[in-house]
Amino acid sequence: MTLFTAVSDSARQLFLLLKCISFAQKAQVRLTKEGLRFTVEESRVIQGTAFLEEALFTSFSYSPTTNSQTEEDELDDTTVFQISLVALLETLQIFGFTENKDRSAARDSGYGGVTGSLARGGPGTAFENRVLGMKSVCRLSYEAIGEPLCIVLEEAGVTTTCEMVTYEPEDQDEIPLQRDALALKIIMRSNWLFDAIKELASTSPSRLTIAASPSAPYLVLSSNGPLGSAAVEFSNDQQLLETFHVPKRTVNTYKYSLVKAASRAMEIASKVSIRGDEQGVLSLQFMIEVAEGRVSFIDFRFVPFLPEDGEGEDDDDDDTDEGQSQ
């Protein structure tokens, strides 16, 4: 019996979601009865997760057996392996789909970087068929542990079959977020965060500082770089910040290039939940609207610099410093 099979009526939909976490070469895949969880990390200081839930597929079957599970996985009924995320994305766009093509079509349909309904009042989203173009049916199958992940793509009567090598999973601990000890929780439109991060890029910054306070200034994103300094301030307006919970002033600094790695998700998401715990761990959870009123979530977590790390330190030490703040 095949361990896992799934069919999606849009390969492009899967491509756009997985492209959001494509900052590393390989992804760890966890199969569950609820869907597929793709996790990517770099140097233990950034972690990106895309969950493709069962509802995103027209058909979904996962039938774990005792023989296909490790003793540890038997307890949570999951199967874990690694694949090349680069190769997977190339496979999903084998019929010539590219991000630029999607963005051009999206602009023509009223899609303004987030969704047509939010940005310009139109009814469409970046994932609707009229934006994505012709449907590419995608069939996924995984026979057993150690076997290739088989991907069959069909479009306009043309069928392509690809078999991707799977690898043994690595020990991958989740960057912990203390949900019972949150220092801040803010929900806002994602494109405003995207615009702020993009604006700060003008100084060629190496670090991004996020300061939140129960009184003005409420939320400030600032950066310093060789070309100067810049800051973007958000007022506590309910139309701007849908949710704002900051019990006391909190300030943490992160590597700018790592936060910028979440830009693709910022650009296509409708909302973002910004959470930070008392240790400074930052979570950006993006709600992305897909076709037929469904949503998917992309989650990023970042480890901060230690408070005593100076702004003048060389970037070569950034990863080491961030890893020590765990």
Side-chain angles (χ1 to χ4, degrees):
M1 178 184 292
T2 301
L3 180 62
F4 162 75
T5 60
V7 179
S8 169
D9 60 7
S10 176
R12 293 176 173 86
Q13 185 180 93
L14 303 182
F15 172 85
L16 287 172
L17 291 172
L18 294 177
K19 187 69 175 176
C20 292
I21 59 169
S22 61
F23 58 85
Q25 298 289 312
K26 287 186 177 181
Q28 192 127 302
V29 183
R30 181 177 293 272
L31 303 177
T32 71
K33 293 182 178 180
E34 289 74 37
L36 293 83
R37 186 182 183 92
F38 290 79
T39 302
V40 176
E41 70 170 30
E42 182 178 305
S43 304
R44 307 285 183 178
V45 294
I46 176 175
Q47 196 169 70
T49 301
F51 183 63
L52 308 183
E53 63 177 351
E54 180 185 0
L56 287 177
F57 300 90
T58 55
S59 69
F60 186 95
S61 174
Y62 174 58
S63 305
T65 63
T66 303
N67 292 334
S68 69
Q69 304 290 308
T70 64
E71 291 183 2
E72 181 179 348
D73 286 338
E74 282 181 34
L75 299 176
D76 56 12
D77 206 27
T78 63
T79 300
V80 185
F81 57 87
Q82 277 200 343
I83 57 170
S84 168
L85 183 56
V86 174
L88 176 58
L89 291 173
E90 289 178 351
T91 299
L92 291 175
Q93 61 171 345
I94 202 166
F95 285 113
F97 169 70
T98 63
E99 284 185 290
N100 291 334
K101 174 182 174 183
D102 170 68
R103 288 171 181 167
S104 175
R107 285 193 298 269
D108 293 341
S109 68
Y111 165 64
V114 184
T115 64
S117 57
L118 283 175
R120 297 188 182 178
T125 74
F127 293 86
E128 287 189 352
N129 292 329
R130 67 188 180 92
V131 175
L132 297 176
M134 189 177 297
K135 283 188 177 182
S136 293
V137 176
C138 178
R139 305 177 189 275
L140 306 174
S141 63
Y142 186 56
E143 290 289 337
I145 297 294
E147 294 296 318
L149 177 66
C150 183
I151 303 174
V152 179
L153 297 167
E154 300 175 8
E155 183 175 295
V158 179
T159 300
T160 301
T161 302
C162 304
E163 291 190 346
M164 296 187 56
V165 175
T166 58
Y167 306 93
E168 289 287 330
E170 295 180 356
D171 291 335
Q172 193 177 78
D173 295 328
E174 184 179 81
I175 294 177
L177 178 72
Q178 297 178 318
R179 293 181 176 85
D180 57 347
L182 291 180
L184 67 91
K185 180 179 180 180
I186 299 170
I187 298 177
M188 62 189 295
R189 280 174 54 172
S190 183
N191 61 327
W192 287 330
L193 178 61
F194 173 76
D195 290 342
I197 296 298
K198 187 176 180 180
E199 184 174 337
L200 295 177
S202 61
T203 63
S204 298
S206 59
R207 300 190 178 198
L208 170 71
T209 298
I210 300 177
S213 172
S215 58
Y218 296 97
L219 175 63
V220 179
L221 277 62
S222 59
S223 64
N224 286 281
L227 301 182
S229 60
V232 177
E233 182 178 328
F234 294 90
S235 62
N236 188 12
D237 186 329
Q238 193 167 12
Q239 293 184 343
L240 183 64
L241 304 180
E242 180 180 315
T243 297
F244 185 83
H245 178 70
V246 180
K248 61 181 180 180
R249 179 171 168 79
T250 177
V251 180
N252 285 288
T253 300
Y254 308 87
K255 191 171 183 179
Y256 176 85
S257 61
L258 297 184
V259 178
K260 189 180 178 182
S263 292
R264 289 188 181 92
M266 294 180 199
E267 190 173 13
I268 67 174
S270 57
K271 294 182 181 182
V272 57
S273 172
I274 306 171
R275 295 174 296 172
D277 65 17
E278 294 178 352
Q279 300 300 315
V281 172
L282 174 67
S283 166
L284 299 179
Q285 186 177 69
F286 299 94
M287 186 180 79
I288 300 176
E289 297 178 4
V290 295
E292 299 176 3
R294 297 192 302 267
V295 296
S296 286
F297 292 93
I298 306 291
D299 184 76
F300 284 84
R301 292 188 184 179
F302 307 89
V303 174
F305 286 106
L306 290 172
E308 61 268 23
D309 287 343
E311 287 295 324
E313 293 185 19
D314 294 335
D315 289 345
D316 292 339
D317 296 331
D318 284 354
D319 290 346
T320 302
D321 293 336
E322 287 173 298
Q324 290 176 345
S325 64
Q326 267 294 84

